[in-house]
Amino acid sequence: MLSPGQQAGIRSLIAVPLCAHGNVLGVATFMRRATPFDDDDLSLAEQLSTRAAVCLDNARRFTRERATVLALQRALLPRRLPEQNAVEAAYRYQLAEGAAGFAWFDVIPLSGARVALVVGEVAGHGLRAAAAMGRLRTTISNFSALDLPPEEILAHLDGLVRQFAGEQAEQAGDDVTQSLGDIVGDVVGGVAFGRADDVVTGTTCLYAVYDPTSQRCSLASAGHLAPAIVGPDCTVELPHVSAGPPLGRGRPPFETTELSLPEGSRLVLYTGGLLANDPGDPRTGTQRLRQALEADPGRTAEDACAAALSALPHGQHREDVIVLAVCTRALPAGHLVCWDLPADPAAVCRVRAQAVRQLSAWNLSELSFNTELIFSELITNAIRYGAEPIQVRLLLDRMLICEVSDASDVSPRPRRAAVTDEGGRGLFLVAQLSERWGTRYTRRGKVIWAEQLLDQETQEDAMEPQAALGLPEWDLDGFEVSRRERSARGVSGVEQHANEKSR
């Protein structure tokens, strides 16, 4: 609004509405104190207003879409780190200035008291990249639940990223999406929706698994930067990790690197934005990171995060920066017992007795009965269908973990046994008595594991045993009595079936 003094002397005025896509965004006013406007000036004002309206509308849409992308990105990242005892974990996340990049991280508890650590970067920008990031993170979590090794998980992700690229190529033929992406991309840098060629091919990922029982870390990289290791004596090491090609290039297999991490070591995973070049600093990003970690007097994961971020160049950064630091722990020596077994059914009774004594020493006698039954079924399966060597482990962590390993790669599969079947209920019994169970493959065979909650009150609402075992109601009492009698004699259901067949 002009003041009366400013309005004095104005001889001509043009007011042109700023319209874009049927919406009035405002009014552009042109004033002249000298020569009045003519028709050419009016035409020019209309053209300027039309172009300005398109630019304003694109900027408004860009702001809205960028806010949507950032909200989606935050929703797809972990809101809090899961509870586990293998490592002390901390993280920092700094968003890029301007265009929203897409980096993610994850901490995933695994069987056997282990933990998986994941850091990755999506190559593209925009909503397509945000959706791809969410799908990749979900896929990694699902594959981790299957206890796949790091190199196999990256191989599956490589195929998934190539599938994403094919889907994006098909979407490029959509005229509406293409036109909208071109409008926003041409005007504001292709951030909001992303161009059709903004595919996720070239996404990088680092997947690591730390085992507190052996204090070793297995990791595989798909074009991602190797982590930094700060030893218990504060020495910094940047290990050589065999980095495969970025995801989507279709050139697996990937290679796993084994690292020894004594208790108290700090493992620092990060994205490429942390090593961005600083025009005012002649040091490379790797040198800055090493010196920052060496100068850190702290011993915790939080200290490592703060030290790593101090290596970030000052000013604006074009890429998202993620730092995931963990301080390793070791499973206490008294919380792990192992037994090597021969392929002899008589060994099952000895293991059960030893397990009961160990649980009594841990003040967990209330779990003895279930643990005996779980070990009876798993060990007997290993003896009948597996191969030597056979090893049994009992771990005390956040849960009580029973593990039976053998040299065979044949995995047992539960099946629904008929009422008249004499066998086939062993794995259903294991599933009923444990919180969860599964199979983990190793280079020397497989491990069948089962976890029990330490607080038995949370299991009171579990389904009735006869429903899990497929038994009729009238047979339940007899089954319970028979099961307890066999347990007292040191014979499991599978063992009894094997003895009857041998007779």
Side-chain angles (χ1 to χ4, degrees):
M1 180 68 68
L2 298 177
S3 65
Q6 293 174 327
Q7 294 178 7
I10 296 178
R11 302 182 57 185
S12 183
L13 181 143
I14 299 177
V16 184
L18 300 176
C19 300
H21 305 291
N23 299 319
V24 179
L25 307 179
V27 177
T29 304
F30 303 88
M31 294 169 289
R32 181 177 290 178
R33 288 186 172 86
T35 307
F37 290 116
D38 55 21
D39 292 340
D40 292 338
D41 295 327
L42 180 60
S43 177
L44 178 61
E46 291 177 345
Q47 295 181 25
L48 290 175
S49 299
T50 300
R51 293 179 180 271
V54 172
C55 293
L56 289 174
D57 187 57
N58 285 338
R60 180 175 60 89
R61 289 164 53 195
F62 162 74
T63 302
R64 183 181 66 249
E65 296 302 334
R66 185 174 189 273
T68 302
V69 169
L70 293 179
L72 177 60
Q73 183 180 17
R74 294 189 184 97
L76 293 174
L77 292 173
R79 296 187 176 182
R80 62 181 181 86
L81 297 180
E83 296 180 354
Q84 43 78 38
N85 293 339
V87 296
E88 172 204 348
Y91 70 92
R92 296 290 188 275
Y93 194 160
Q94 289 193 6
L95 290 174
E97 300 290 341
F102 289 95
W104 84 94
F105 69 97
D106 229 329
V107 177
I108 306 173
L110 302 176
S111 65
R114 302 170 304 141
V115 65
L117 310 170
V118 188
V119 171
E121 292 184 89
V122 176
H125 298 285
L127 291 176
R128 290 193 185 99
M133 183 191 77
R135 294 173 69 180
L136 286 172
R137 181 170 177 252
T138 301
T139 301
I140 291 176
S141 179
N142 292 338
F143 284 139
S144 298
L146 298 176
D147 278 322
L148 297 177
E151 69 274 12
E152 289 190 21
I153 287 183
L154 292 185
H156 286 294
L157 289 179
D158 180 81
L160 186 64
V161 169
R162 283 186 282 131
Q163 177 183 339
F164 292 166
E167 292 175 356
Q168 289 183 343
E170 293 178 0
Q171 292 176 358
D174 189 336
D175 294 336
V176 176
T177 304
Q178 180 69 31
S179 299
L180 188 57
D182 288 342
I183 292 174
V184 180
D186 291 341
V187 178
V188 293
V191 176
F193 284 92
R195 297 178 181 272
D197 58 353
D198 217 4
V199 296
V200 294
T201 299
T203 295
T204 66
C205 181
L206 178 67
Y207 187 92
V209 176
Y210 174 71
D211 188 346
T213 63
S214 62
Q215 301 178 42
R216 295 191 65 81
C217 181
S218 305
L219 53 90
S221 171
H224 202 84
L225 297 169
I229 299 175
V230 184
D233 57 353
C234 294
T235 58
V236 179
E237 179 186 359
L238 299 176
H240 172 72
V241 176
S242 299
L247 299 176
R249 302 292 170 82
R251 292 196 298 269
F254 298 94
E255 184 176 348
T256 295
T257 302
E258 297 281 345
L259 301 175
S260 177
L261 298 179
E263 184 177 12
S265 301
R266 288 178 290 170
L267 185 67
V268 182
L269 290 73
Y270 51 88
T271 57
L274 185 66
L275 304 184
N277 293 327
D278 188 351
D281 192 339
R283 299 174 299 171
T284 64
T286 304
Q287 291 173 336
R288 293 198 311 272
L289 177 61
R290 177 190 289 273
Q291 294 175 8
L293 294 175
E294 288 176 342
D296 175 33
R299 299 281 183 173
T300 66
E302 290 285 351
D303 294 332
C305 280
L309 279 184
S310 66
L312 189 65
H314 297 290
Q316 295 185 352
H317 46 281
R318 298 182 178 179
E319 301 179 22
D320 287 2
V321 176
I322 286 182
V323 177
L324 176 61
V326 298
C327 184
T328 62
R329 298 167 178 161
L331 191 70
H335 288 202
L336 170 65
V337 290
C338 300
W339 300 287
D340 294 321
L341 302 183
D344 181 5
V348 181
C349 182
R350 296 195 299 268
V351 172
R352 284 205 306 266
Q354 292 171 331
V356 169
R357 288 195 295 268
Q358 186 61 54
L359 291 177
S360 177
W362 287 341
N363 295 322
L364 295 174
S365 298
E366 67 276 8
L367 298 178
S368 296
F369 183 68
N370 288 358
T371 303
E372 286 185 86
L373 292 178
I374 290 174
F375 270 145
S376 294
E377 301 300 337
L378 296 184
I379 296 174
T380 307
N381 279 345
I383 293 175
R384 293 185 62 188
Y385 306 111
E388 294 188 89
I390 300 173
Q391 186 181 71
V392 176
R393 295 204 312 176
L394 187 63
L395 298 87
L396 178 59
D397 192 54
R398 302 184 69 88
M399 291 188 174
L400 181 65
I401 306 171
C402 304
E403 293 186 349
V404 177
S405 62
D406 66 82
S408 171
D409 58 358
V410 178
S411 175
R413 298 182 181 274
R415 64 181 180 87
R416 174 65 65 180
V419 176
T420 57
D421 288 347
E422 296 181 2
R425 298 183 177 90
L427 292 180
F428 277 97
L429 181 63
V430 171
Q432 178 63 22
L433 298 177
S434 60
E435 178 68 12
R436 62 178 189 144
W437 73 280
T439 304
R440 180 172 73 248
Y441 291 97
T442 66
R443 288 181 172 81
R444 298 181 179 179
K446 69 177 182 298
V447 178
I448 311 297
W449 54 269
E451 296 179 349
Q452 300 178 69
L453 292 175
L454 299 182
D455 183 8
Q456 288 296 291
E457 294 180 357
T458 60
Q459 299 184 13
E460 292 180 353
D461 296 331
M463 65 183 294
E464 294 297 327
Q466 66 267 32
L469 300 175
L471 294 175
E473 294 183 3
W474 56 265
D475 196 37
L476 176 60
D477 295 334
F479 174 78
E480 291 291 338
V481 172
S482 177
R483 186 176 66 176
R484 292 181 183 273
E485 290 178 350
R486 290 199 306 269
S487 178
R489 296 198 309 266
V491 181
S492 69
V494 179
E495 291 176 84
Q496 186 185 45
H497 179 67
N499 293 338
E500 291 174 353
K501 291 187 66 176
S502 63
R503 290 197 297 268

